[in-house]
Amino acid sequence: MQFTTTRGAGQPVSAARAICLGLAGDGGLFVPERFPSVDLKETLAQPDYPALAALILKKFLTDYDPAFLRDTVRQVYGEAFGEGTAPLRAAGDGLYSLELWHGPTCAFKDFALQLMPRLLVEAKRMLGDGSTTAILVATSGDTGKAALAGYCDVPGVTITVFYPSHGTSEIQRLQMTTQQGGNVAVYAVQGNFDDAQTGVKRIFGDADVARQLAARGVHLSSANSINWGRLVPQIVYYFHAYGQLVRAGALKAGDKADFCVPTGNFGDILAGWYAKQMGLPVGKLICASNKNDVLTEFFATGVYNARRPFYRTTSPSMDILVSSNLERLLYHMAGADRVRGWMKQLSEDGSYRVDPEVMERIRADFGAASADDATAAAQIRELFEQRGYLCDPHTAVAFSAARRNKSEAPMVVLSTASPFKFPRDVLAALGRPLPRDEFAAMGALAEYTGQPAPKALACLRSLPERFDAVIAPDALGDVVLGE
């Protein structure tokens, strides 16, 4: 399997090379040259999540030794997730919640970022690359901690995370600033996530920065979902969810299931579309947005307009105006030439318009809806009071969108974070008194709901903060170069 860039420059590369590079030299994203097919019966026959992951991953990572993949996923998902790997919970009325937050950092990013460091180290070994890999991460909340945890003290790798100042929950911030490890660094960036992400992309495209780092034996890579190694593990849990539906009798093998995904950077939902291209019986993929509803508008009008007000919401991981992975979908639908033009327009004008015939193909697979903070809060309260199900604000946004797009098929909502990452917002949604302190709120939420807070979050209270630097968006390059 070879990978090409969404913008059409250069020669195809192997999976190992794509994972090492992160972003293509022309600024595009790596995509597979074709979609491998899978036998649905074979996926349903897999005994557990690691076995299913090995089956799916080897279809794309063809230059990796299948034995390495089999052993690695067994170690990663066994150690980090225990027995709680992506359980599917019934939420009534044909709705289901796929809980993707039972990993070590309590967010869905763990599925990729516990595995990706091992894929990177193996890729460097395969390619004979003895350089230091400097991982740069822009995060809207959850990716930062998951990446820091995954790459902590990995030999031959450093990782620097940039997050928006005042743009995450307090728990998310503390997860990053208390991170241990000799190879990690964390910076708050003045502005929002798009400021951080644009700064990181600018560094990747700066030839002078690359030359200076190469002279020191350092090469850049990414742990954001722009990196193929981040995206490919996420395909697996769509097959896993479908298998659980079949085993629960919610549908028969071969029948379609719909999925609703709370989406910011469009990577998680794109993984579902990739699963569909491989043969998983997926009906509609519903893109759920918060008040930053640039994607909802795009699916409705065909116009992507990033020049719009930016809102800080109770679902901060979705507070994004430039959804990078949409470029991958556009490539598959329209080709590199059009993508190059659209991305140039986005860079210069902040917007672009997609041709009607392309939008028609996109809408055949995708729907979209948005929900503001009040709607999400009402959904949290309704789910808990009527179904006894507790969810975080991101998942609540998706449940709201799912209800408005429900068909006869089962609808799986991807639950992307623990509600205890946002204890004050969840308590407020439940109509409970709000303690001033986040950890008091965590305790109050646990007491009221009868559900324990994850130890990985509760322990943050006692950990010292290591990183407190706040930098301007134009200073990211100086940080990377150590100036």
Side-chain angles (χ1 to χ4, degrees):
M1 174 73 72
Q2 294 286 294
F3 294 80
T4 188
T5 166
T6 52
R7 301 188 189 180
Q11 296 298 311
V13 301
S14 67
R17 179 67 68 188
I19 289 172
C20 282
L21 291 173
L23 195 67
D26 63 355
L29 282 63
F30 287 112
V31 289
E33 285 193 316
R34 59 181 176 83
F35 293 110
S37 61
V38 296
D39 184 290
L40 184 60
K41 290 182 179 179
E42 187 179 9
T43 66
L44 293 172
Q46 298 308 304
D48 55 22
Y49 195 92
L52 178 62
L55 175 66
I56 301 300
L57 291 174
K58 72 180 183 181
K59 298 286 187 177
F60 288 102
L61 308 181
T62 55
D63 49 335
Y64 283 77
D65 183 346
F68 164 81
L69 294 175
R70 183 181 63 248
D71 293 344
T72 299
V73 295
R74 182 70 56 186
Q75 293 164 8
V76 165
Y77 296 122
E79 292 174 2
F81 295 84
E83 297 300 319
T85 312
L88 190 72
R89 314 289 192 196
D93 303 321
L95 293 169
Y96 297 84
S97 179
L98 183 67
E99 293 184 348
L100 300 173
W101 42 265
H102 292 279
T105 76
C106 306
F108 79 98
K109 311 292 178 75
D110 288 326
F111 278 90
L113 286 168
Q114 288 296 307
L115 178 63
M116 188 179 168
R118 303 188 188 213
L119 296 179
L120 175 63
V121 170
E122 179 66 5
K124 292 178 69 177
R125 185 198 67 77
M126 292 160 58
L127 297 171
D129 182 354
S131 67
T132 296
T133 300
I135 302 287
L136 304 184
V137 179
T139 182
S140 55
D142 291 330
T143 292
K145 173 58 180 180
L148 289 165
Y151 281 101
C152 176
D153 290 331
V154 170
V157 176
T158 65
I159 178 168
T160 305
V161 168
F162 302 97
Y163 71 93
S165 60
H166 309 294
T168 68
S169 78
E170 180 67 2
I171 299 299
Q172 287 175 312
R173 187 189 71 81
L174 287 171
Q175 283 190 293
M176 292 183 280
T177 61
T178 60
Q179 176 67 46
Q180 298 299 303
N183 66 335
V184 306
V186 179
Y187 294 88
V189 178
Q190 295 167 349
N192 58 42
F193 169 76
D194 292 307
D195 295 314
Q197 178 168 251
T198 299
V200 167
K201 284 186 174 181
R202 188 180 299 119
I203 293 168
F204 274 103
D206 192 322
D208 185 55
V209 170
R211 281 193 295 271
Q212 292 185 58
L213 292 175
R216 307 175 195 172
V218 177
H219 293 90
L220 295 175
S221 190
S222 173
N224 282 93
S225 57
I226 58 176
N227 191 313
W228 175 249
R230 240 300 287 285
L231 188 58
V232 65
Q234 296 174 284
I235 298 171
V236 179
Y237 47 68
Y238 284 89
F239 285 90
H240 181 62
Y242 189 89
Q244 291 184 80
L245 288 172
V246 172
R247 287 187 285 275
L251 51 68
K252 295 179 181 178
D255 292 346
K256 290 183 178 180
D258 297 331
F259 291 85
C260 186
V261 188
T263 303
N265 225 11
F266 205 72
D268 206 15
I269 194 168
L270 182 66
W273 188 78
Y274 280 171
K276 183 173 183 176
Q277 305 315 300
M278 296 176 72
L280 187 69
V282 176
K284 280 283 190 176
L285 291 157
I286 306 302
C287 175
S289 301
N290 60 20
K291 194 173 182 179
N292 294 294
D293 58 354
V294 60
L295 284 168
T296 307
E297 180 182 84
F298 169 74
F299 284 110
T301 67
V303 176
Y304 194 100
N305 179 21
R307 289 191 173 173
R308 56 197 289 126
F310 176 87
Y311 301 101
R312 288 196 173 103
T313 73
T314 58
S315 47
S317 295
M318 300 160 66
D319 290 348
I320 296 173
L321 296 182
V322 179
S323 299
S324 293
N325 282 287
L326 184 61
E327 180 174 340
R328 281 186 164 115
L329 178 66
L330 293 174
Y331 169 82
H332 293 302
M333 294 290 184
D337 289 343
R338 290 195 196 177
V339 165
R340 229 176 9 255
W342 289 328
M343 293 306 108
K344 185 173 184 291
Q345 288 180 329
L346 181 64
S347 175
E348 294 175 352
D349 304 327
S351 66
Y352 58 88
R353 179 183 293 274
V354 172
D355 304 1
E357 66 271 18
V358 176
M359 288 307 304
E360 185 177 354
R361 292 197 295 274
I362 289 174
R363 293 186 186 113
D365 290 330
F366 290 89
S370 63
D372 61 16
D373 285 354
T375 303
Q379 190 67 73
I380 290 172
R381 187 164 187 167
E382 179 183 334
L383 280 168
F384 185 73
E385 291 181 349
Q386 296 185 10
R387 302 290 179 179
Y389 186 76
L390 185 67
C391 71
D392 84 298
H394 303 76
T395 305
V397 166
F399 265 107
S400 174
R403 291 188 186 282
R404 283 174 278 157
N405 288 272
K406 183 74 176 67
S407 69
E408 293 300 314
M411 172 76 80
V412 178
V413 169
L414 271 58
S415 179
T416 53
S418 166
F420 288 93
K421 277 196 167 189
F422 313 92
R424 286 179 57 83
D425 292 321
V426 176
L427 271 178
L430 296 174
R432 305 301 298 168
L434 295 182
R436 293 182 181 179
D437 177 74
E438 285 285 308
F439 294 98
M442 194 181 294
L445 182 61
E447 181 178 2
Y448 179 67
T449 63
Q451 300 183 25
K455 293 179 181 179
L457 302 180
C459 74
L460 293 172
R461 179 197 292 269
S462 61
L463 298 180
E465 290 194 59
R466 297 181 61 201
F467 305 102
D468 59 5
V470 181
I471 62 174
D474 60 2
L476 272 66
D478 295 338
V479 165
V480 172
L481 292 172
E483 297 177 353

